[in-house]
Amino acid sequence: KTQISWQEFEESVERVAMGPERKSRLIKEKEKRITAYHEGGHALVAKLLPDSDPVHKVTILPRGMAMGYVLSLPEDDRYMSSKSELMAKITMALGGRVAEEVVLGDITTGAESDLQYATELARRMICEFGMSENLGPLSLGRRHGPVFLGRDLYEERNYSEEVAAQIDKEIRALVEQCYARAKELIENNRDKLERIVAALLEKETIDGDELDAIVNGVERPGTPPPTAAAPIAPDVPPESEPRRTPQPRPQPGLAGA
């Protein structure tokens, strides 16, 4: 190319943040559907929460170690966050796990990084930002360590074991409150989740405008409405079907979200 477009900038940002796109990775149809529900849960919760950042892109194309991801971007520069905005971030992070539970009646390991993010953000809200009504406006603990790359920070406690137990209780209560909120949103908008999943299984990547149209039930010009996603069936036992060697198929490139 002789010119750099916005597509190249977005690809570079996603490559640094998430890793390279894994176009050659073969994914079973069942795992692809689970990923679609997981990412669809994130996107739906983010769309329905008024304090959440707008969703820029949803994809089930693997990148780095992730099977799919939702890219949310703020509309302007921010130098601080409110409690409601932080709680919206935790609720969105839990949306994928909640979607698995509501749709499948089961949970997978796909929410590992989401749970780490939600727990750490809740801990910072309680211990660093003084956002606990029970513990009050206190800074609890101090995290520091060597400034060398690759070294973990460690926490210096400046509170008692009794306060530590209260901190654990507050973190759990905050995460569970956000989890319940995400579950309420998904259960009350299950039809919208199914439309998002159907679009992801058909196109693999949808942008923010497409997500808005899907959630609002508006058909975009020239785009047929997606059909409902088929239910996830259990894996077929190996002895009931002859084993076939999977053949790689070309994956469409990113749409330059």
Side-chain angles (χ1 to χ4, degrees):
K1 291 186 176 182
T2 58
Q3 293 181 336
I4 296 176
S5 67
W6 183 244
Q7 181 177 353
E8 281 72 43
F9 281 108
E10 290 189 336
E11 168 64 21
S12 64
V13 170
E14 293 182 37
R15 185 180 180 90
V16 171
M18 304 293 298
E21 190 176 88
R22 306 291 187 181
K23 295 183 180 180
S24 61
R25 181 180 294 179
L26 297 176
I27 303 176
K28 294 194 303 182
E29 188 65 24
K30 179 181 178 180
E31 291 186 344
K32 187 176 181 180
R33 289 184 179 276
I34 294 175
T35 302
Y37 277 107
H38 185 101
E39 303 306 331
H42 286 308
L44 178 61
V45 171
K47 177 63 181 174
L48 297 176
L49 288 174
D51 294 313
S52 181
D53 292 331
V55 176
H56 187 64
K57 174 182 179 180
V58 189
T59 183
I60 56 174
L61 290 175
R63 180 178 285 275
M65 299 301 295
M67 298 290 289
Y69 57 95
V70 175
L71 182 62
S72 296
L73 300 175
E75 295 179 325
D76 49 20
D77 293 336
R78 293 182 183 175
Y79 302 98
M80 63 182 66
S81 298
S82 66
K83 181 178 180 179
S84 59
E85 290 171 344
L86 295 178
M87 291 186 67
K89 291 180 182 293
I90 296 176
T91 306
M92 177 195 173
L94 298 172
R97 175 67 169 265
V98 171
E100 293 180 10
E101 179 185 343
V102 170
V103 176
L104 308 178
D106 198 1
I107 52 179
T108 71
T109 59
E112 177 184 4
S113 60
D114 299 329
L115 298 178
Q116 292 175 351
Y117 173 81
T119 304
E120 175 61 19
L121 183 53
R123 189 202 68 81
R124 295 192 66 192
M125 290 177 64
I126 301 301
C127 297
E128 298 181 23
F129 307 144
M131 293 182 176
S132 168
E133 296 181 1
N134 294 326
L135 293 174
L138 301 176
S139 177
L140 302 169
R142 185 176 61 177
R143 307 187 75 188
H144 58 85
V147 295
F148 301 106
L149 294 177
R151 300 294 298 274
D152 294 333
L153 297 177
Y154 60 91
E155 182 178 7
E156 178 182 340
R157 284 191 174 185
N158 58 359
Y159 48 84
S160 64
E161 292 296 330
E162 180 182 357
V163 174
Q166 289 181 308
I167 292 174
D168 292 340
K169 184 178 180 180
E170 288 291 303
I171 293 174
R172 175 180 293 274
L174 180 57
V175 173
E176 289 181 346
Q177 179 183 352
C178 294
Y179 195 94
R181 176 59 172 156
K183 190 172 184 179
E184 177 187 10
L185 290 173
I186 289 178
E187 288 180 338
N188 293 339
N189 297 273
R190 176 70 182 272
D191 58 329
K192 298 178 181 178
L193 175 62
E194 295 293 347
R195 293 201 298 267
I196 295 173
V197 170
L200 285 173
L201 292 175
E202 177 185 355
K203 304 178 65 175
E204 296 186 320
T205 299
I206 57 178
D207 60 27
D209 292 336
E210 290 173 313
L211 177 65
D212 291 343
I214 292 170
V215 171
N216 296 326
V218 179
E219 182 179 344
R220 301 187 71 184
T223 303
T227 57
I232 298 176
D235 288 331
V236 178
E239 61 272 9
S240 64
E241 182 177 339
R243 185 180 299 274
R244 295 188 296 270
T245 303
Q247 298 296 325
R249 61 184 179 86
Q251 295 277 3
L254 289 176

